[in-house]
């Protein structure tokens, strides 16, 4: 069994990619929407939250954990790896992908405050050629996506991103953001979009192989901490789309 978690429905954008390549494993998707947003929480609080989630997933039989959240990955992955013996896979903004494909193109990188303020993010950012990169923190955006507030999302993007029209590359450094790709394109035009999900799948495949974790029967269990039925409906809908 493989455990995947995020502060809600955003991590489904990663989970979907995992399922495309590894449909025969059993999964628990843990949507911690009651604690959404993670992006504004301090390190101590986020460590406590994610430690409890990983404990729960391990006790439920998960042999690998995927942190399908950039914020929790940037802030908590080291702590979690030190405190649990199961492999823990993290996601990071796709800065390297841009570097490999179009390092000289104007790039806009969006992420939560938690991710952008983190040491891990700074390390990653400084490692690659970023002279053409604009960084924009998007406080409040993951919350709007989580609540599915379509009009407010459009308004938010217009106000915050219109000034970046003309960038070639858009890095979505939060797993909630790929849920609104069309809305980004409405404001920014036809940009090349990058996110970290593919990197997670590659690493998960490697870890599963190295640790000889056996496939199951393709069962998926969905858990949402706010216990709202709408969350489950949205989860299955995104997987189907
Ligand atoms: N989906 C998360 C991320 O990738 C966090 C969003 C939030 O809860 O602030 O950063």
């Amino acid at each position: 069994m493989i455990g995947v978690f995020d502060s809600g429905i955003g991590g489904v954008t990663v989970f979907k990619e995992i399922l495309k390549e590894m449909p025969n494993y059993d999964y628990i998707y843990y949507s911690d929407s009651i604690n959404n947003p993670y992006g504004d929480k301090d390190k101590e609080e986020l460590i406590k939250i994610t430690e409890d989630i990983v404990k729960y997933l391990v006790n439920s039989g998960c042999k690998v954990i995927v942190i399908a959240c950039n914020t929790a990955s940037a802030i908590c992955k080291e702590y979690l790896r030190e405190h649990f013996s199961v492999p823990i896979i993290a996601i990071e903004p796709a800065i390297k992908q841009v570097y490999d494909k179009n390092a000289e193109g104007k790039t806009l990188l969006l992420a939560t405050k938690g991710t952008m303020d983190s040491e891990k993010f700074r390390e990653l950012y400084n490692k690659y050629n970023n002279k053409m990169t604009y960084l924009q923190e998007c406080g409040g955006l993951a919350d709007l996506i989580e609540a599915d507030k379509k009009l407010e999302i459009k308004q938010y993007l217009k106000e915050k991103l219109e000034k970046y029209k003309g960038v070639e590359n858009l890095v979505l450094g939060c797993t909630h953001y790929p849920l609104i790709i069309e809305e980004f394109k409405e404001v920014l035009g036809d940009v090349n979009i990058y996110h970290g999900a593919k990197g997670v799948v590659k690493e998960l495949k490697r870890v599963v192989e190295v640790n000889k974790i056996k496939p199951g029967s393709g069962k998926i269990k969905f858990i949402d901490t706010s216990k709202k039925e709408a969350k489950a409906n949205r989860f299955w809908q995104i997987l189907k789309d």
Side-chain angles (χ1 to χ4, degrees):
M1 180 111 70
I2 298 171
V4 181
F5 76 91
D6 180 37
S7 67
I9 220 74
V12 185
T13 59
V14 178
F15 185 43
K16 218 173 153 168
E17 295 298 322
I18 295 175
L19 285 180
K20 276 187 204 158
E21 303 258 342
M22 304 170 69
N24 299 330
Y25 286 81
D26 293 334
Y27 296 93
I28 299 179
Y29 183 90
Y30 191 103
S31 153
D32 188 19
S33 63
I34 203 146
N35 286 313
N36 180 280
Y38 281 180
D40 300 341
K41 296 200 166 31
D42 65 30
K43 182 167 183 173
E44 207 180 319
E45 192 181 0
L46 208 51
I47 282 184
K48 162 109 196 39
I49 289 171
T50 55
E51 186 173 24
D52 287 346
I53 295 174
V54 175
K55 237 182 244 168
Y56 173 84
L57 291 171
V58 170
N59 289 338
S60 307
C62 293
K63 304 286 184 238
V64 193
I65 308 294
V66 177
I67 313 176
C69 170
N70 287 267
T71 313
S73 293
I75 297 175
C76 310
K77 72 175 171 201
E78 270 170 6
Y79 178 92
L80 296 173
R81 283 174 179 159
E82 277 163 23
H83 288 79
F84 292 92
S85 57
V86 289
I88 294 182
I89 293 166
I91 186 165
E92 63 181 22
I95 292 181
K96 184 177 181 303
Q97 279 184 50
V98 174
Y99 177 75
D100 290 342
K101 287 207 179 127
N102 185 8
E104 300 305 321
K106 276 195 186 148
T107 300
L108 172 63
L109 189 152
L110 310 176
T112 65
K113 176 172 168 29
T115 297
M116 285 215 181
D117 287 351
S118 71
E119 224 174 283
K120 285 281 150 224
F121 177 74
R122 282 285 142 195
E123 278 170 23
L124 180 72
Y125 179 76
N126 291 331
K127 196 167 159 187
Y128 297 100
N129 172 6
N130 285 299
K131 56 183 195 299
M132 303 302 280
T133 303
Y134 305 106
L135 298 181
Q136 176 67 58
E137 200 184 273
C138 288
L141 182 56
D143 329 13
L144 291 178
I145 299 169
E146 186 63 33
D148 209 7
K149 295 201 165 140
K150 294 192 171 65
L151 281 175
E152 283 93 331
I153 290 170
K154 279 183 196 278
Q155 191 62 28
Y156 183 105
L157 297 185
K158 203 165 175 306
E159 277 166 23
K160 209 141 201 161
L161 304 187
E162 209 150 52
K163 60 177 181 241
Y164 298 112
K165 211 169 165 42
V167 293
E168 284 175 51
N169 307 313
L170 176 65
V171 179
L172 302 179
C174 166
T175 57
H176 279 70
Y177 302 166
L179 291 172
I180 54 161
I181 281 181
E182 289 317 311
E183 287 83 347
F184 282 121
K185 287 192 167 168
E186 267 171 38
V187 178
L188 294 172
D190 197 17
V191 283
N192 300 314
I193 294 185
Y194 300 81
H195 54 82
K198 291 246 164 23
V200 169
V201 178
K202 200 168 152 205
E203 179 60 4
L204 179 61
K205 274 178 149 175
R206 190 191 68 77
V207 165
V208 158
E209 209 176 293
V210 170
N211 291 278
K212 301 190 171 45
I213 294 164
K214 291 200 191 77
S217 50
K219 271 196 298 244
I220 299 170
K221 182 174 177 187
F222 175 76
I223 295 169
D224 177 69
T225 51
S226 68
K227 301 194 167 59
K228 290 189 183 134
E229 212 182 300
K231 296 280 176 195
N233 295 339
R234 197 161 169 217
F235 171 79
W236 296 110
Q237 188 61 45
I238 296 170
L239 284 190
K240 240 185 17 204
D241 283 347

